[in-house]
Amino acid sequence: MTTGVIPGGHNPEPRPTGEHMPHQRHQLAGQASPHVETRSRSSVITARAAASFEPVGRSVATARSFVRDTLQGWGFADVVDDAVVLTSELVTNAVVHAGTHAEVLCLRMDDGVRIEVADRYPEREVPLQGSAVNMGSPDREGGRGLQLCAALAARWGVEYTPTHKNVWFQLDLPERPVGTRAAGPSLPADLLPLADSRVRVAVVQIDRKGSISAWNEDAEEIFGHTATDVTGTPLTDLAAWPHTPGTGTGIAEALQLSRWEGSYGIRGADGRVTPVYASHLRVRDTGGEPSTVCLLVRDHERAVLQTPLRVPASDTGGASDGQSSDPFEVFIGSPAPDDLDGLLQRTVERARDMLDGDSAFLLLATDDETELEVRASTGLPSARQRFARVPVEAGPGRYGSARMPAVHDDLVAVPGAVPLLAGTGMRSVITVPLKVEGRLTGSLGVAAEAPGRYSNEEALRLQFAADRIALAVESARLGELERLRRGSLSFLVEASDLLAGTLDRDQTLALMAQMTVPTLATWCAVYTIADQASEPYLSYVLHEDEELIDGIKSLLSKVPPPDPVPTPGARVWTVPGERAHQAALRSSMRSLGLAGGHTRQVSSGIGPTLATASAVGGETVVLPLVARNRVIGMLTLGKPTDEHFRQEILELAEDLSRRAALALDNARLYSERTAISQALQRSLLPPGTPHIEGMEVEVIYRAAGEGNEVGGDFYDVFPISDNAYGFAIGDVCGTGPNAAAVTGLARHALRLLAREGLSGPAVLERLNSAILDEGARSRFLTLLYGEMRPQEDGSAEMKVVCAGHPLPLRLRQDGTVEAAAEPQPLLGVIEDLELYEQTVTLDPGDVLLCVTDGVTERREGTRMLGDDGLADVLTTCTGLTAGAVAARIMRAVERFASDAPSDDMAILAMRVPGLQKD
């Protein structure tokens, strides 16, 4: 990939001049003309980034990373996901389907970004202006990129030249409010809010775990704590949060909201609580790590931070024109939160204050209106309820329906009517539906600790407020859902690329877990099933905190695995959480001496047990991994204590599980085939080299090709009778499985025929007949076969037959090298062979070297090692052992060329022991 970044400026043309300049432009005729509108020549380009990608599969992922990094560097995070998805499809068309280079150009403009993808395959049908464009089914590969452009881009089009095709799209930035957000009239000095002579604003930054990571000088002055003292301390240890007795605090939830504003107290170094007014803003750094920035002032100076509420027209004298204020703004306040979580939180706080309640909550309906999901609450231990789901129809009588307003005088008399309030101490409650065009979209409730607090009049007031905000909530929810779905599409595209990039089973399991943690879940476990008769096996465990992995693995190994149910979708699995809490309780009781027996000190093991219980104490779901109509495993996702999964996350996890299941099954099949292949190949190799008294024998064998242990070259050394041994080295025509099959035939036939007492020529003639009997599967082969007999005088007698094979070389003690046999016809070509054997006597210190043509035909460009080169290397081996000779020959072959060997190689060195060099 080649890239370049060019400083911005005013340039009327979208592409640089040169060969890529379009000679003519054709616009696609889509359903609406704005989708094919070209960029105005007056547009101002403020920055460029260009890259070129080779026509290989990995370029698609590289192009996605290039676009993502470029847009994030420009601050265009709002359109990154759409740009990545569109670029991925268009680059795939170029480098995968068209098979050409892809050139990607990113142009930054004041109002958005334009991305152009050019390829060198312009042979496409040019749509006529005004004619309907039929891009086919979205399941087809062709045309899908243009469909996505039509669906996601503000403008797009195609430009053709005789050598290039350029597809471009433009994404507009969403409008952001700028300038004045709120303003007040000029006031006399005596009417301005009171403040100290110097207003101090404490700036406190809280990390994702709720601990203080930054503490400025004003914070030290207001509260008395130094930055060193409080850094790493949870804010909950210092905050005095206003709450209803018997309920949870709520500071942890406030820190998770994108924006929050309100009052609480901070406990100072002297132990006194200082009332403060706070404004929280949730941010993330360039690495994606979230944190919360808190601005704090003394409560009586709240005017410094407090967002002014818009005064209704009737209070400012503006009602004389007959226009009333907006009921939505009266209830929510102004400015309204610009995100869904902020809007929902503001809604429950306003509802609680309006009816003087102790708590309030808001639930949103799923698409099919069968369940309600907890999305916001105040005055409740909402952390354990957030994203919890309850059925719409639950409980007896009219109180069980969320589709109508309901007043509960006393929940003790109607247990289970409002599942969210179970165990919270709330007694009376009002619930009203949120509806848009008659469709249930949510439910709003206000509760109090005292019974009988609310009447139908309060229910009508709350319903009126719910009607005012229902449309805004639904609009914000749909906007959030659209952003989630676009992000999910980008996530699935990258996940599919990663899963398709490996056929290793263990790596596939690791990828499955790493893609889900922490994006979808806090922890993940993958179970695999070998076959239908096997039980699920825990294969991989991952947690975002590595220190908790062993504890979760130990816990899951002690509980029965989930049932391998093939039904699609996520199902809740409660066993891990229940067992974890039981184990933690037992550990706590034993440490306190409450489980019987003598009192013991708190053991070091209680910490990991309690940590494990907290890690798996939330919602746990199981998704089946189904491939080829069989459950091959389960993907288990979990949340920590009191947390639940969002429905959108579960749907995304289900999509991921389907892709992961196919990838895992492909990896399993590949592993099985590889294991079978390797087992069969190993069966073709000799069991071992026998020990021969009075001889040194060494073999080096290298099969060409990844994953091959046996190829077309083969060797063997085996006993024939007392003091007689056979040896062979051969080369079957071709490589791979077919050549290996003839290898097995030759090796086994040689052993069988030699042990029948046949001479060397007779053995090879019968082997030749056996090869020809294979018919179309036969392969011709070259073979050097011989028999050795060590002699009493220390020499060795060799009888050899060289059938078309490279001649064996004899190295004498004086360093001379000579051929030890004459060439004869190879096997597997003609039926009637007349072969003869030759006798060679090796004196002490002599070496007989036998190789296959993979050694002599080793090439580097136009140079080849050859027989002469091999003989030159052998002359340097005088006095070396057989093992040293074989090793030196192999090193010489490997160093002769820089590329990896492309042919099988076998080296057989036999030496009669003699005097060695010092």
Side-chain angles (χ1 to χ4, degrees):
M1 181 189 80
T2 57
T3 63
V5 178
I6 305 100
H10 188 280
N11 189 331
E13 292 300 326
R15 302 191 57 82
T17 59
E19 61 172 348
H20 305 314
M21 179 66 66
H23 296 283
Q24 73 180 105
R25 174 175 296 172
H26 299 274
Q27 295 181 348
L28 283 177
Q31 295 180 352
S33 59
H35 291 290
V36 294
E37 173 183 303
T38 59
R39 183 173 57 83
S40 171
R41 290 181 178 268
S42 63
S43 298
V44 176
I45 299 173
T46 58
R48 301 170 180 264
S52 179
F53 302 93
E54 298 178 356
V56 292
R58 64 177 181 272
S59 292
V60 180
T62 309
R64 282 200 301 269
S65 299
F66 164 70
V67 172
R68 182 183 298 278
D69 294 343
T70 299
L71 298 193
Q72 287 180 342
W74 289 347
F76 287 178
D78 295 318
V79 297
V80 163
D81 289 332
D82 287 354
V84 168
V85 170
L86 293 175
T87 303
S88 177
E89 289 295 335
L90 297 179
V91 174
T92 299
N93 290 341
V95 304
V96 176
H97 302 310
T100 77
H101 281 73
E103 299 169 4
V104 179
L105 174 66
C106 300
L107 303 175
R108 184 180 70 184
M109 294 172 286
D110 295 335
D111 56 349
V113 61
R114 170 174 169 136
I115 296 179
E116 303 180 1
V117 180
D119 63 49
R120 301 174 184 176
Y121 189 75
E123 290 82 3
R124 295 288 188 273
E125 179 182 357
V126 181
L128 298 177
Q129 182 71 22
S131 62
V133 178
N134 180 14
M135 288 179 266
S137 168
D139 295 329
R140 295 177 61 250
E141 292 293 332
R144 188 167 61 188
L146 300 185
Q147 283 184 307
L148 285 175
C149 287
L152 301 180
R155 290 176 292 280
W156 63 280
V158 183
E159 300 167 349
Y160 293 91
T161 72
T163 59
H164 284 72
K165 174 172 65 64
N166 178 39
V167 182
W168 63 270
F169 61 87
Q170 183 166 329
L171 300 172
D172 293 340
L173 291 178
E175 294 184 1
R176 294 191 178 98
V178 295
T180 302
R181 293 292 302 273
S186 301
L187 294 176
D190 57 347
L191 296 181
L192 296 175
L194 285 174
D196 292 342
S197 57
R198 176 183 175 185
V199 176
R200 297 185 181 275
V201 180
V203 181
V204 183
Q205 190 162 3
I206 312 298
D207 62 24
R208 67 184 306 165
K209 297 181 179 179
S211 300
I212 297 172
S213 59
W215 183 269
N216 73 342
E217 294 181 359
D218 281 358
E220 294 184 12
E221 183 66 27
I222 296 174
F223 307 118
H225 299 289
T226 65
T228 304
D229 293 338
V230 297
T231 299
T233 302
L235 182 62
T236 52
D237 291 353
L238 302 181
W241 190 265
H243 64 278
T244 305
T247 64
T249 55
I251 180 67
E253 182 189 51
L255 293 174
Q256 297 300 316
L257 299 177
S258 59
R259 290 180 181 273
W260 185 90
E261 193 174 314
S263 299
Y264 51 90
I266 294 293
R267 189 170 291 103
D270 57 2
R272 296 181 180 180
V273 174
T274 301
V276 298
Y277 191 82
S279 176
H280 297 177
L281 175 64
R282 189 92 162 141
V283 298
R284 63 185 174 90
D285 60 21
T286 55
E289 183 71 14
S291 62
T292 303
V293 177
C294 305
L295 304 181
L296 312 175
V297 297
R298 293 183 175 91
D299 191 62
H300 66 274
E301 298 173 339
R302 63 169 56 200
V304 175
L305 298 180
Q306 188 173 26
T307 302
L309 297 179
R310 182 176 295 171
V311 180
S314 58
D315 295 341
T316 62
S320 59
D321 58 2
Q323 295 181 353
S324 61
S325 59
D326 184 357
F328 171 77
E329 292 186 354
V330 171
F331 181 69
I332 293 298
S334 179
D338 55 4
D339 64 308
L340 178 62
D341 286 337
L343 177 60
L344 298 183
Q345 192 63 31
R346 182 82 65 86
T347 298
V348 295
E349 291 171 356
R350 293 291 191 270
R352 180 192 62 181
D353 295 343
M354 183 178 71
L355 297 185
D356 193 24
D358 295 316
S359 64
F361 52 89
L362 191 149
L363 302 86
L364 294 183
T366 55
D367 291 339
D368 57 5
E369 301 181 24
T370 60
E371 289 185 314
L372 293 168
E373 188 176 66
V374 180
R375 291 301 302 271
S377 64
T378 183
L380 293 174
S382 55
R384 69 179 176 87
Q385 298 290 349
R386 187 165 170 80
F387 300 124
R389 291 173 297 282
V390 295
V392 170
E393 304 294 340
R398 70 184 184 93
Y399 297 123
S401 176
R403 302 182 188 277
M404 297 292 290
V407 179
H408 302 253
D409 291 327
D410 194 348
L411 290 178
V412 175
V414 192
V418 183
L420 176 63
L421 299 179
T424 62
M426 300 297 157
R427 298 284 295 276
S428 54
V429 62
I430 301 174
T431 59
V432 297
L434 300 177
K435 292 185 177 181
V436 175
E437 297 180 351
R439 182 173 61 86
L440 178 69
T441 60
S443 178
L444 176 64
V446 177
E449 293 181 342
R453 280 277 300 274
Y454 301 116
S455 64
N456 289 339
E457 286 74 15
E458 279 89 352
L460 291 176
R461 289 180 62 197
L462 188 61
Q463 183 66 72
F464 179 80
D467 292 341
R468 301 287 75 76
I469 58 100
L471 185 59
V473 168
E474 180 66 3
S475 176
R477 186 186 75 86
L478 292 176
E480 180 194 63
L481 186 61
E482 181 64 20
R483 287 191 297 274
L484 282 173
R485 287 177 176 171
R486 291 185 178 184
S488 299
L489 181 58
S490 177
F491 170 78
L492 289 174
V493 167
E494 295 188 10
S496 298
D497 256 5
L498 289 172
L499 290 170
T502 179
L503 286 173
D504 182 83
R505 176 182 175 277
D506 293 336
Q507 189 174 359
T508 301
L509 291 172
L511 283 174
M512 290 170 58
Q514 291 166 5
M515 285 185 294
T516 58
V517 177
T519 305
L520 306 181
T522 306
W523 64 272
C524 167
V526 183
Y527 290 85
T528 56
I529 303 174
D531 52 63
Q532 295 181 351
S534 301
E535 290 293 323
Y537 173 76
L538 181 62
S539 298
Y540 201 90
V541 176
L542 184 65
H543 190 282
E544 61 182 9
D545 184 351
E546 294 183 356
E547 295 182 356
L548 298 177
I549 294 177
D550 290 338
I552 297 176
K553 187 182 299 183
S554 176
L555 172 69
L556 295 179
S557 64
K558 296 176 183 177
V559 302
D563 295 330
V565 178
T567 306
R571 55 191 174 90
V572 177
W573 186 32
T574 60
V575 175
E578 294 172 352
R579 292 293 181 89
H581 284 97
Q582 293 172 5
L585 180 60
R586 287 194 299 270
S587 297
S588 300
M589 294 179 67
R590 284 196 302 269
S591 67
L592 299 174
L594 300 178
H598 64 282
T599 302
R600 294 185 294 177
Q601 297 294 327
V602 177
S603 66
S604 60
I606 187 172
T609 301
L610 294 176
T612 302
S614 176
V616 301
E619 188 174 41
T620 302
V621 297
V622 177
L623 297 104
L625 299 175
V626 181
R628 297 171 179 86
N629 298 320
R630 186 175 74 84
V631 180
I632 63 171
M634 283 90 69
L635 179 65
T636 304
L637 307 179
K639 287 281 190 178
T641 298
D642 300 332
E643 291 193 19
H644 299 264
F645 286 98
R646 297 188 61 172
Q647 187 62 36
E648 293 84 358
I649 295 297
L650 293 180
E651 293 173 358
L652 179 58
E654 185 178 355
D655 283 341
L656 177 63
S657 69
R658 286 195 291 266
R659 291 165 169 78
L662 290 176
L664 181 60
D665 196 49
N666 288 336
R668 178 185 62 83
L669 292 174
Y670 178 78
S671 298
E672 290 179 356
R673 299 296 186 273
T674 301
I676 293 172
S677 173
Q678 291 176 345
L680 291 174
Q681 290 184 65
R682 283 192 290 269
S683 70
L684 299 178
L685 291 173
T689 303
H691 174 71
I692 302 176
E693 189 70 30
M695 290 291 297
E696 297 176 2
V697 179
E698 183 66 26
V699 176
I700 296 179
Y701 183 80
R702 298 284 189 274
E706 183 179 357
N708 290 333
E709 296 187 26
V710 177
D713 290 6
F714 68 95
Y715 70 93
D716 200 2
V717 180
F718 55 92
I720 299 175
S721 61
D722 291 341
N723 204 39
Y725 298 87
F727 64 90
I729 185 168
D731 184 3
V732 179
C733 174
T735 59
N738 292 330
V742 178
T743 294
L745 169 65
R747 192 177 69 80
H748 291 294
L750 284 176
R751 287 193 172 214
L752 179 64
L753 295 172
R755 288 170 179 171
E756 291 294 322
L758 299 177
S759 64
V763 169
L764 268 59
E765 288 168 2
R766 296 197 180 188
L767 175 60
N768 180 65
S769 300
I771 294 173
L772 293 174
D773 289 343
E774 291 292 306
R777 297 182 300 176
S778 66
R779 295 284 191 277
F780 66 81
L781 77 154
T782 66
L783 179 64
L784 172 64
Y785 173 76
E787 297 178 2
M788 74 175 80
R789 289 181 172 82
Q791 303 297 310
E792 294 181 357
D793 60 358
S795 64
E797 182 184 76
M798 302 282 189
K799 294 183 178 181
V800 296
V801 181
C802 187
H805 198 79
L807 300 179
L809 298 179
R810 176 181 180 177
L811 171 65
R812 295 182 181 273
Q813 277 193 313
D814 59 5
T816 59
V817 175
E818 61 185 5
E822 297 177 353
Q824 301 183 59
L826 51 78
L827 307 182
V829 179
I830 58 178
E831 294 185 1
D832 297 327
L833 287 178
E834 293 184 2
L835 303 175
Y836 58 91
E837 64 184 7
Q838 296 174 273
T839 301
V840 179
T841 300
L842 296 184
D843 296 325
D846 288 356
V847 175
L848 186 68
L849 176 67
C850 311
V851 301
T852 57
D853 60 5
V855 173
T856 57
E857 295 180 2
R858 177 73 163 149
R859 294 179 180 274
E860 173 70 16
T862 58
R863 296 187 307 118
M864 185 173 72
L865 180 63
D867 296 332
D868 293 339
L870 178 62
D872 292 340
V873 176
L874 186 58
T875 59
T876 67
C877 299
T878 304
L880 299 181
T881 64
V885 171
R888 179 169 291 186
I889 297 298
M890 179 56 72
R891 283 197 303 271
V893 172
E894 291 174 344
R895 293 173 180 174
F896 186 80
S898 57
D899 296 337
S902 59
D903 195 5
D904 304 328
M905 292 188 294
I907 299 173
L908 173 61
M910 294 173 287
R911 178 177 181 273
V912 179
L915 296 177
Q916 300 183 19
K917 285 186 178 181
D918 295 334

